[in-house]
């Protein structure tokens, strides 16, 4: 979690007030970056890691001790990044030669400036298109300089969405020492990390991170079965309890297109029940082949924003 990522001994993130220590040898994963070393060592040069991460923090609307991140790493060989050398051609190298072996704001001591710039272009293009995919091409983006112990140079990508600048991710050119300690000596790479709940909150209008832990079907049903391209806007759920009814009936034998009935039933239930209907779901179907009849069961969840409903109501 810290050592393999070159995190300084006195770095804030190591404090027991920030990280959950199980004992002196173990802590709960505080970021998905923790897997960079092992996965590079195993020989991978492009990977994504998705996982739950744990941080000690006050709990409020935007903070919860457990959340999720996605981590991405991409390593390049010289030829992949800068193109193949043809005979006698003088093309840049990944690594710096004297006198350019100094750490500067724009590069690490061991990297050539050309290789750093080329990786940076790849990194930024990749993450900008990810951002376009998530927030739409129209959304304005900006790169902000940042610091992470495991990258140099480091950046954060921000996007202007819903009237404010949102920090989407941290990233940078991976520290070469990190690659070397994982046994990678002939490549250079970039990495990024994204907090997933924060992005989902903005995209779907979820006002409180604690809602992700809700088992309330009024919350969960709003996302069930949706695909990433569907437009989803969270509708506030009521604090009052649900009243559940199951309703089953035989479909009219005249309607041959049974399957087309379902959305008619949904509409009818919503028309009759109005605002009080929180969810409708087809839960069972039965066909009596002999009699040529088919029945359906619908579960209707009623819930009011004003009060606890009685069964009669
Ligand atoms: N691990 C960082 C965090 O949790 C996020 C991050 C920043 C990941 C930069 C990276 C990176 O891979 O290159 O805040």
């Amino acid at each position: 979690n810290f050592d393999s990522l070159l995190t300084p001994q006195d770095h804030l993130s190591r404090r027991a007030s920030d990280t959950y220590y199980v004992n002196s040898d173990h802590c709960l994963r505080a970021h998905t970056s923790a897997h960079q070393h092992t996965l590079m060592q195993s020989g991978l040069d492009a990977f994504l890691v998705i996982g739950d991460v744990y941080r000690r923090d006050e709990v409020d609307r935007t903070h919860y001790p457990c959340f999720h991140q996605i981590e991405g790493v991409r390593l390049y060989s010289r030829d992949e990044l800068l193109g193949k050398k043809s005979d006698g051609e003088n093309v840049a190298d990944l690594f710096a030669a004297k006198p350019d072996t100094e750490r500067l704001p724009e590069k690490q001591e061991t990297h050539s400036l050309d290789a750093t710039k080329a990786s940076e272009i790849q990194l930024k293009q990749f993450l900008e298109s990810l951002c376009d995919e998530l927030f739409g091409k129209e959304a304005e983006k900006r790169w902000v300089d940042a610091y992470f112990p495991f990258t140099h140079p480091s950046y954060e990508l921000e996007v202007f969405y819903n009237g404010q600048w949102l920090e989407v991710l941290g990233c940078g050119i991976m520290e070469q020492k990190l690659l070397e300690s994982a046994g990678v000596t002939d490549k250079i790479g970039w990495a990024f990390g994204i907090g997933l709940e924060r992005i989902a909150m903005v995209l779907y209008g979820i006002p409180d991170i604690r809602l992700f832990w809700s088992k309330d079907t009024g919350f969960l049903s709003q996302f069930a079965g949706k695909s990433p391209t569907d437009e989803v806007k969270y509708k506030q759920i009521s604090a009052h309890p649900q009243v559940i009814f199951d309703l089953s009936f035989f479909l009219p034998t005249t309607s041959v297109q049974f399957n087309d009935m379902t959305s008619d039933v949904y509409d009818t239930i919503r028309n009759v029940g109005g605002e009080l209907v929180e969810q409708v779901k087809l839960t069972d179907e039965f066909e009596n082949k002999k009699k040529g009849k088919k029945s359906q069961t619908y579960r209707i969840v009623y819930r009011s924003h004003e009060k606890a409903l009685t069964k009669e109501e």
Side-chain angles (χ1 to χ4, degrees), residues 1-7 14 33-34 36-38 150 178 181:
N1 197 78
F2 301 117
D3 297 347
S4 75
L5 289 161
L6 316 167
T7 309
R14 286 188 186 255
S33 307
Q36 287 187 4
H37 179 87
T38 316
F150 30 91
L178 215 162
S181 72

Side-chain angles (χ1 to χ4, degrees), residues 1 5 30-34 36 53 55 67 69-73 123 146-156 167 169-174 190-195:
N1 197 78
L5 289 161
H31 51 182
T32 44
S33 307
Q36 287 187 4
V53 297
R55 295 195 193 162
F67 59 100
Q69 285 187 328
I70 183 166
E71 186 85 12
V73 166
L123 166 68
Y147 164 80
F148 300 105
F150 30 91
T151 49
H152 182 78
S154 305
Y155 305 96
E156 279 168 358
E167 183 197 310
L169 56 87
C171 66
I173 307 301
M174 297 169 81
W190 49 252
F192 67 89
I194 311 182

